[in-house]
Amino acid sequence: MKILTKQVQTESVIKGSRFLAEAIPCQKQEDARLILKAQKEKYSDSTHVVHAFIVGKSGELMGMSDDGEPGGTAGRPVLDVLKGSGATDFIVTVTRWFGGTLLGTGGLVKAYGGSAKELLQKCQEEGALEEYVPKKDFSFECDYAIYKNVKHAFEDFSLDSLEENFLDKVFVSGKIPESQYDAFCERVKNISNGRITL
């Protein structure tokens, strides 16, 4: 499975109606609700904010809404595109500003589905979709004297969300792929002669 790593958006105009499609990373159903609420507030001048989301390690949780468009013409086509993407942990909203011309049910399906397809294409082009790698949190503290040596070892590992706080000691936290966790613990322990434990 792939996950979305950053927000991406595309825009199109179809028969006067403006469609703004946005892909936003999210890991839980509650997050999807909060993002949708924020989108509706942000685009309060729009006619519809249609959405679909997929979350869970294997994409087991999904949801969608037509947001007032005729049933099955908006949320469903967007969700179908998401299901075909092989990705999880993201929500797609397609915001529409009505331009005065009715598109009909077929036109709506094409407009919403097409917006989602174009958006996912852009996600691919921008490298915003990457393979899901299970990660583990880690944290430790150490003396300034050995921190330089410990920090040098970071280069050999794929660390993420790294935070360093320099107080009476150095406090370090972050995430690391599960497959590298044991080797990382061992390396840090060896460098510090057993004084650091994660």
Side-chain angles (χ1 to χ4, degrees):
M1 283 302 258
K2 291 187 173 182
I3 56 166
L4 185 72
T5 57
K6 63 176 183 176
Q7 189 165 337
V8 178
Q9 70 176 46
T10 59
E11 198 172 319
S12 57
V13 176
I14 301 163
K15 291 188 179 175
S17 282
R18 180 176 157 223
F19 291 86
L20 175 67
E22 294 173 279
I24 303 165
C26 85
Q27 294 170 336
K28 300 192 295 277
Q29 194 169 352
E30 301 82 65
D31 296 345
R33 280 196 203 103
L34 292 171
I35 291 166
L36 181 61
K37 186 172 184 272
Q39 292 289 81
K40 286 189 171 198
E41 286 169 9
K42 185 176 173 185
Y43 304 120
S44 58
D45 63 331
S46 69
T47 322
H48 307 279
V49 181
V50 167
H51 83 283
F53 70 87
I54 295 184
V55 294
K57 283 183 181 169
S58 56
E60 64 273 11
L61 266 177
M62 40 188 101
M64 49 125 205
S65 163
D66 294 314
D67 192 38
E69 292 282 28
T73 63
R76 172 65 57 198
V78 174
L79 183 60
D80 287 344
V81 172
L82 268 60
K83 283 171 26 184
S85 70
T88 186
D89 287 354
F90 71 121
I91 181 172
V92 166
T93 61
V94 182
T95 306
R96 179 188 185 192
W97 287 266
F98 183 60
T101 304
L102 294 171
L103 301 179
T105 54
L108 288 170
V109 169
K110 195 173 171 188
Y112 283 105
S115 292
K117 274 184 197 154
E118 190 183 318
L119 178 65
L120 284 177
Q121 182 65 41
K122 190 173 179 188
C123 289
Q124 294 275 18
E125 289 165 7
E126 290 191 3
L129 290 170
E130 61 181 44
E131 283 303 320
Y132 171 71
V133 177
K135 292 184 178 168
K136 254 181 131 160
D137 293 321
F138 71 85
S139 63
F140 63 87
E141 58 183 68
C142 69
D143 296 321
Y144 281 81
I146 58 170
Y147 182 63
K148 191 176 173 188
N149 293 340
V150 172
K151 188 170 174 70
H152 190 66
F154 290 177
E155 294 166 19
D156 297 333
F157 298 93
S158 307
L159 304 183
D160 202 5
S161 309
L162 190 64
E163 281 189 28
E164 301 159 299
N165 291 309
F166 300 92
L167 302 165
D168 54 329
K169 290 186 172 190
V170 184
F171 294 86
V172 182
S173 65
K175 294 177 184 292
I176 186 167
E178 282 179 4
S179 58
Q180 297 181 6
Y181 184 78
D182 292 340
F184 181 65
C185 291
E186 194 64 27
R187 177 82 68 86
V188 170
K189 189 176 163 189
N190 289 342
I191 291 169
S192 65
N193 293 322
R195 283 178 298 186
I196 300 175
T197 53
L198 272 73

